[in-house]
Amino acid sequence: MTSLLQNVWHLRRVAEASTKPCHICYKPTTSVLITPDQKDHFYVCPGHLKDRGFCTPIVDEAEAAAKKKKEELDREIELIKAQYAEKLKKRKKSKDSKKKEKSTEKDRGKGKEDSKDDEDDDEAKAEKEKDDKVSDHSDTT
């Protein structure tokens, strides 16, 4: 009794040394269509694979949706990182201007506060904000 041949094929690539002629146009090719049980195969050019009348790929919609969601999350994370870096630059500029103010005040003999404590507090706050944003986006996945 003969078994029915499924019309499902997997694309495999072979080494350049193993090229054989395409079954349709006889040009050398490294693309091979093979059945899942590996009982049948034929060589085919990449140009024929692009032909809609020849074959169509099987698309796993769940996998495609998951990939799209991951790309969107990656873009959002990059955006948040950029915003955070911009925020840090603004804080650094404001700290620099505050340092200049304090140094002018010290020269005048008015203010003698420890700027190290303020910098440590600001850095800790910035780090906490970054961790909160990343954890908020991680929770949505």
Side-chain angles (χ1 to χ4, degrees):
M1 180 178 226
T2 61
S3 63
L4 294 176
L5 181 68
Q6 286 185 323
N7 196 13
V8 176
W9 301 85
H10 295 276
L11 177 64
R12 301 281 172 95
R13 304 282 180 185
V14 296
E16 289 291 326
S18 300
T19 61
K20 291 192 178 179
C22 172
H23 278 63
I24 299 166
C25 65
Y26 303 106
K27 292 180 183 177
T29 183
T30 58
S31 302
V32 180
L33 290 177
I34 188 167
T35 58
D37 59 2
Q38 299 181 358
K39 289 186 177 184
D40 196 13
H41 69 279
F42 63 96
Y43 286 79
V44 64
C45 290
H48 294 111
L49 291 174
K50 292 178 185 175
D51 182 14
R52 290 186 181 204
F54 179 70
C55 63
T56 56
I58 299 173
V59 179
D60 184 10
E61 292 182 19
E63 184 178 321
K67 184 177 179 182
K68 183 178 178 183
K69 185 176 180 179
K70 184 181 184 314
E71 288 175 358
E72 289 175 3
L73 287 175
D74 289 343
R75 272 189 251 120
E76 188 173 341
I77 288 171
E78 289 300 320
L79 177 66
I80 290 172
K81 285 181 180 180
Q83 289 173 350
Y84 180 72
E86 186 177 316
K87 199 175 200 181
L88 285 179
K89 287 180 184 178
K90 287 181 182 178
R91 284 186 182 171
K92 188 173 183 179
K93 282 185 178 181
S94 66
K95 285 181 189 179
D96 290 343
S97 64
K98 286 180 183 179
K99 283 182 183 179
K100 288 180 183 178
E101 271 184 32
K102 287 184 181 183
S103 65
T104 57
E105 288 177 8
K106 284 184 181 180
D107 291 342
R108 294 181 190 164
K110 291 184 179 178
K112 293 187 175 181
E113 291 184 19
D114 188 18
S115 63
K116 285 281 186 186
D117 293 335
D118 293 340
E119 289 177 11
D120 293 340
D121 291 342
D122 290 341
E123 289 175 9
K125 286 179 184 177
E127 190 67 30
K128 187 175 187 296
E129 287 180 18
K130 179 182 175 185
D131 291 340
D132 290 343
K133 285 185 179 181
V134 170
S135 67
D136 287 345
H137 291 306
S138 299
D139 294 339
T140 60
T141 58

